[in-house]
Amino acid sequence: MPVMVDSRNWFPKVEAGRRRVLPGTQRKGVWIEYEGRLLLDFASNDYLGLSFDKDLQQAVWDTVREYGFGSGASRLVSGDHPLMHSLEKALAAWKGYEACLLVGSGSLANMGLIAALVGRHDFAFCDRLCHASLIDGVRLSGARLVRYPHLNLEFLQAQLAKHPKGRKIIVSDGVFSMDGDCADLQGLVRLAEEYDALLVVDDAHGNGVMGDEGKGLSDLANVAGHARLIETGTLGKAFGAYGAFILSTEEMIESLRQRLRTMIYSTALPPCVAAAALVALRKVREGHLQRKLFENIATFQAACKERGLPIRPSPSAIQVYPVGRDEAALERSVRLRKAGFWVPAIRPPTVPENTARLRISISALHRKEDLVALTEALT
Ligand SMILES: *Cc1c(COP(=O)(O)O)cnc(C)c1O
């Protein structure tokens, strides 16, 4: 008889309050169905509501009819498609970079990029709150990981000065995913120049949301296209689709085409996803969804202020209601669910210890009364 591994002994025990659960929900526009009830969804990253856009859906159907569904192989083998090249050109032009490379997802883009850029004699300086996939990229690369306190550029500068040898990359989110606050990209570019480093910025939550035409934080900070800056972004959030992209100089992107293992050894995106993303990009650039989103953010923040709710001010679509203890955040989330709102409690290890919170994400699809009703339920 084979002896089976008992997975309960294989892994360390997950504490009761930390267990993650797949909720079995399904989204329907601004609503989400949970155990047979429709709740208002304040959890998705579909900031512009594009995942339910009829024109995106039409583009998917048209493309599937013409070219089938799956891409069949890595782009370097036979999975390439003109729609992918069109999308890369369009994304680069929109963001103000020379070149772009599509990757399967934001996590794959981050892991592959960092593993391609640095190795075990190099250093990666990461904001303490940057996304898990960026940290995973550093681990995969074998580079020395140096974490600096959130947004603390003085500390970062001291660390950069302390490590004169080896190649260096600075790594940060643009808009931070669990706090909704923003990196100082001008300051980071300046440090990259001063210490001969490259800067990797993942603006997953800034693209489509922040800046003129939703071009993201690098546009607001006037550093888009800078030769020391490599940006990653996802098509799974404001674009309402799936997939991701890396932006940089033509030379850097050409090197990444040779070395990005998470692209080379992975099946290309379905062509219909590229078609949908092209439509999404057109809608992002038109600007009316972004304007609606910011009206909604302002409405929500004003209603919070009126009720004296301790929402942490954030310039992005991510609004944080700090709670502290894990159990307290969970209790609040459950109470909101009973009142008809889907608002996740974000707990460690996703965020630092004792900083459990409700993460409220605002969408262009929310109606004014939805936002006001949530603040009433929070009171
Ligand atoms: C969501 C997210 C990712 C992952 O992107 P996917 O396309 O979902 O894999 C990467 N970085 C940040 C900051 C994110 O919020």
Side-chain angles (χ1 to χ4, degrees):
M1 280 283 282
V3 180
M4 301 301 287
V5 170
D6 183 343
S7 72
R8 285 166 306 183
N9 298 334
W10 185 267
F11 297 109
K13 246 202 162 44
V14 179
E15 282 171 58
R18 295 273 157 101
R19 217 169 74 80
R20 299 170 204 252
V21 186
L22 289 174
T25 49
Q26 49 183 318
R27 295 177 56 239
K28 296 180 172 172
V30 79
W31 301 94
I32 185 163
E33 194 180 315
Y34 176 74
E35 295 183 345
R37 282 177 65 216
L38 280 182
L39 314 177
L40 272 169
D41 182 6
F42 283 95
S44 95
N45 304 306
D46 186 15
Y47 300 122
L48 302 178
L50 283 172
S51 74
F52 280 85
D53 185 273
K54 291 283 177 278
D55 296 323
L56 261 75
Q57 293 173 12
Q58 190 63 50
V60 169
W61 288 321
D62 292 347
T63 313
V64 167
R65 219 172 284 121
E66 187 95 357
Y67 304 110
F69 178 46
S71 64
S74 163
R75 284 181 79 189
L76 296 165
V77 181
S78 67
D80 202 10
H81 194 282
L83 281 165
M84 297 170 198
H85 293 263
S86 303
L87 178 58
E88 286 175 335
K89 278 210 186 73
L91 288 168
W94 165 60
K95 288 278 290 179
Y97 285 81
E98 281 176 22
C100 173
L101 184 61
L102 287 179
V103 189
S105 76
S107 285
L108 287 174
N110 287 338
M111 288 192 268
L113 173 65
I114 294 178
L117 286 175
V118 284
R120 59 198 184 83
H121 301 295
D122 305 324
F123 293 87
F125 300 84
C126 300
D127 188 291
R128 183 161 287 284
L129 296 189
C130 73
H131 193 261
S133 59
L134 294 163
I135 301 300
D136 291 344
V138 177
R139 297 211 174 107
L140 190 58
S141 75
R144 263 275 296 284
L145 172 63
V146 182
R147 303 186 88 166
Y148 61 90
H150 186 46
L151 304 179
N152 189 335
L153 298 200
E154 278 166 40
F155 192 98
L156 169 60
Q157 177 161 22
Q159 291 296 314
L160 285 162
K162 236 172 67 182
H163 295 94
K165 286 205 280 287
R167 295 179 306 173
K168 297 186 266 296
I169 57 172
I170 302 169
V171 179
S172 179
D173 286 15
V175 172
F176 282 84
S177 57
M178 292 302 140
D179 294 74
D181 54 355
C182 302
D184 169 8
L185 295 192
Q186 279 196 352
L188 290 172
V189 164
R190 220 177 303 121
L191 288 178
E193 283 175 334
E194 189 173 338
Y195 293 93
D196 193 24
L198 284 177
L199 172 60
V200 172
V201 171
D202 172 5
D203 207 9
H205 298 272
N207 290 317
V209 173
M210 308 296 288
D212 177 41
E213 288 185 35
K215 289 182 209 169
L217 272 196
S218 60
D219 180 68
L220 275 178
N222 213 10
V223 295
H226 192 286
R228 288 191 180 272
L229 176 56
I230 306 174
E231 260 195 76
T232 62
T234 178
L235 299 168
K237 290 174 177 154
F239 277 75
Y242 194 72
F245 52 88
I246 302 176
L247 298 154
S248 185
T249 60
E250 178 53 53
E251 212 178 275
M252 174 60 78
I253 292 295
E254 173 53 23
S255 300
L256 292 175
R257 284 187 201 109
Q258 310 305 316
R259 317 180 79 94
L260 199 85
R261 294 170 64 88
T262 53
M263 185 274 290
I264 297 170
Y265 300 109
S266 188
T267 302
L269 285 174
C272 64
V273 173
L278 274 163
V279 176
L281 177 57
R282 195 185 80 224
K283 301 214 163 199
V284 163
R285 298 191 76 163
E286 281 166 6
H288 55 266
L289 293 171
Q290 191 193 20
R291 276 192 292 283
K292 180 73 193 346
L293 170 61
F294 274 89
E295 275 169 37
N296 282 350
I297 295 169
T299 299
F300 178 73
Q301 288 178 335
C304 285
K305 198 162 173 201
E306 211 170 280
R307 289 180 171 73
L309 293 174
I311 293 285
R312 225 190 282 145
S314 140
S316 71
I318 301 162
Q319 307 290 318
V320 171
Y321 187 105
V323 179
R325 281 189 320 114
D326 292 16
E327 302 75 26
L330 264 182
E331 273 166 32
R332 274 183 176 272
S333 175
V334 170
R335 245 184 291 146
L336 284 170
R337 199 162 74 209
K338 290 187 175 140
F341 303 91
W342 187 256
V343 181
I346 307 285
R347 293 161 290 156
T350 304
V351 292
E353 290 296 329
N354 302 314
T355 69
R357 69 205 54 191
L358 299 174
R359 177 185 184 271
I360 298 158
S361 60
I362 312 285
S363 157
L365 288 184
H366 289 128
R367 298 159 307 175
K368 187 164 184 222
E369 56 265 36
D370 302 333
L371 299 158
V372 173
L374 174 61
T375 59
E376 274 162 9
L378 280 167
T379 305

